[in-house]
Amino acid sequence: MTQHDDAYGTHHSGPRQPSRRIFLRGAVAGAAATAGIVATGAAASSAAAAPGGFPDYRYTKTLLTPSRLKYNPTGEIIFPCIRGVYDKLAAPLGRYYLYYGPHDAPGGICLAYGDSLEGPFTEYPANPLVSNNWQPHYKVSHVASPHVLWNEDVKELWLYFHGENGTTRLARSKDGITFTYDKVVLTTAMMPAGSTETSYARVFRHDLPARGARYVMLFMLNNSSNHRDIAWGWSKDGRDWTFAQQPLVRHTDVGADNIGGPHLLSRNGSTYVVYNTNKESGGNLLITEVGNDFSRRDHLGVFYDSGSAAPENGRSASPSFGTDHGVPYMVYEAGERLQGSIAVARG
């Protein structure tokens, strides 16, 4: 079984807009509802109401708000990554670790911890775990977008993060708090000429036998056109990567100006990418079926329909998925970019 996310409620607290869920191509509303969402190696059953037979997630509550955080240099936070550590670490601070951080300078990779995916989460008192100045490895304007992968091969938490926007780096940890710098894993120089951003990467354990790979990376790619696409790469060890030189999903494929925040999910024997659009293009999460070998490009439409009321205010982004006692959850950015909070939705 493919592992795609580690870890993770019930009714929208504000009015939701009438559903704008549409199917751009190949509608799958009749997909089987009995299989569970694959996340963190665990399956959970839920009513299938979204494309691909996924649960119909609904906003439950806000988990983190910048104004309530001790480490708050810029008044904004982005890109949550939730991880269940209760069965991986010897003495964790809580059952779940929630990684996040501000984006704007100086940024910083931060941690909160809790015993339930519905919160509460406690801010780690010594944030940030990783700063924009880590000598002798780098000194940059900001670091942001933490994605943490449990690497079963070495029993470590691997942190992928960007800084600057054109460079993705890797650090490694035995306890999820103290990290050792490893290396740069992605830069714009590894992509076609004219690339200006390679950021917001997430890495997943996913076998691609024909490519000799065991890991897949999804990330946001920008160029001089200033329209962002979803790009991807593959690796046998999570450290050294090969990158496709053409986007996995183009913004024009789904009628958006920009797309980003990609996440990999598996269900019913196939593989999907979920990603966000910019608010002006709907502000929703969309889903594309890529298949287990990434040969498909079936754009299935709206995965999560952002509500017009607070805290979403017409935009949801950067989802991280998982299950808690068999219940599927989605932790995500709620609200306008650099003005929102970290929220959780329940399936």
Side-chain angles (χ1 to χ4, degrees):
M1 180 177 291
T2 302
Q3 174 185 335
H4 287 327
D5 211 11
D6 223 64
Y8 311 107
T10 10
H11 185 59
H12 204 295
S13 65
R16 291 178 63 87
Q17 292 177 318
S19 177
R20 291 172 286 151
R21 177 166 289 131
I22 58 174
F23 300 101
L24 305 178
R25 194 153 56 103
V28 290
T34 56
I37 182 173
V38 175
T40 319
S45 297
S46 181
F54 286 93
D56 186 10
Y57 290 93
R58 297 299 181 100
Y59 167 82
T60 300
K61 64 190 300 186
T62 298
L63 299 178
L64 296 177
T65 301
S67 62
R68 298 181 180 179
L69 297 173
K70 176 183 176 181
Y71 181 75
N72 179 29
T74 59
E76 46 85 19
I77 51 175
I78 65 165
F79 211 81
C81 181
I82 190 76
R83 287 291 173 263
V85 295
Y86 54 88
D87 58 347
K88 297 176 176 62
L89 304 182
L93 299 174
R95 288 173 56 83
Y96 299 99
Y97 279 8
L98 174 55
Y99 297 89
Y100 66 96
H103 176 271
D104 287 352
I109 306 304
C110 298
L111 171 67
Y113 55 91
D115 290 324
S116 167
L117 288 175
E118 295 190 24
F121 279 88
T122 300
E123 180 183 10
Y124 183 66
N127 281 331
L129 307 180
V130 175
S131 76
N132 64 327
N133 186 358
W134 192 346
Q135 298 296 332
H137 310 298
Y138 63 77
K139 183 178 182 181
V140 294
S141 70
H142 76 288
V143 292
S145 70
H147 178 83
V148 174
L149 167 79
W150 172 251
N151 190 310
E152 181 65 26
D153 297 337
V154 293
K155 301 295 191 293
E156 292 178 346
L157 289 164
W158 285 23
L159 165 67
Y160 298 85
F161 62 103
H162 82 249
E164 309 287 357
N165 288 343
T167 301
T168 295
R169 307 173 189 274
L170 169 63
R172 302 163 61 167
S173 176
K174 293 291 188 182
D175 63 4
I177 296 173
T178 302
F179 285 87
T180 300
Y181 187 82
D182 192 330
K183 62 181 293 186
V184 170
V185 294
L186 169 63
T187 72
T188 52
M190 301 174 184
M191 300 304 293
S195 297
T196 58
E197 294 178 64
T198 47
S199 54
Y200 301 101
R202 291 194 189 274
V203 173
F204 306 90
R205 176 73 177 84
H206 182 91
D207 291 330
L208 292 172
R211 300 179 186 269
R214 300 173 64 239
Y215 297 90
V216 165
M217 179 189 294
L218 303 175
F219 59 97
M220 187 189 74
L221 175 67
N222 193 15
N223 57 36
S224 57
S225 71
N226 204 32
H227 291 286
R228 293 161 178 85
D229 299 320
I230 304 302
W232 74 296
W234 54 92
S235 170
K236 65 179 181 180
D237 60 5
R239 297 184 70 246
D240 297 311
W241 293 84
T242 300
F243 297 103
Q245 296 301 290
Q246 297 297 321
L248 181 67
V249 183
R250 300 177 189 272
H251 67 282
T252 52
D253 294 339
V254 294
D257 293 327
N258 294 289
I259 55 178
H263 194 289
L264 203 67
L265 291 175
S266 287
R267 193 178 178 92
N268 295 336
S270 192
T271 301
Y272 303 79
V273 178
V274 175
Y275 49 93
N276 58 262
T277 66
N278 58 304
K279 184 174 181 179
E280 294 75 12
S281 298
N284 296 318
L285 300 179
L286 305 185
I287 181 170
T288 294
E289 184 174 5
V290 297
N292 294 334
D293 63 356
F294 279 61
S295 64
R296 302 181 64 169
R297 300 292 185 272
D298 295 336
H299 308 300
L300 303 180
V302 175
F303 177 86
Y304 182 80
D305 187 2
S306 299
S308 59
E312 291 175 354
N313 295 323
R315 179 183 179 271
S316 301
S318 303
S320 179
F321 295 88
T323 61
D324 188 358
H325 300 292
V327 178
Y329 286 90
M330 177 178 74
V331 179
Y332 64 105
E333 293 177 31
E336 297 90 338
R337 176 166 166 74
L338 305 186
Q339 300 178 44
S341 58
I342 302 303
V344 62
R346 181 172 180 164

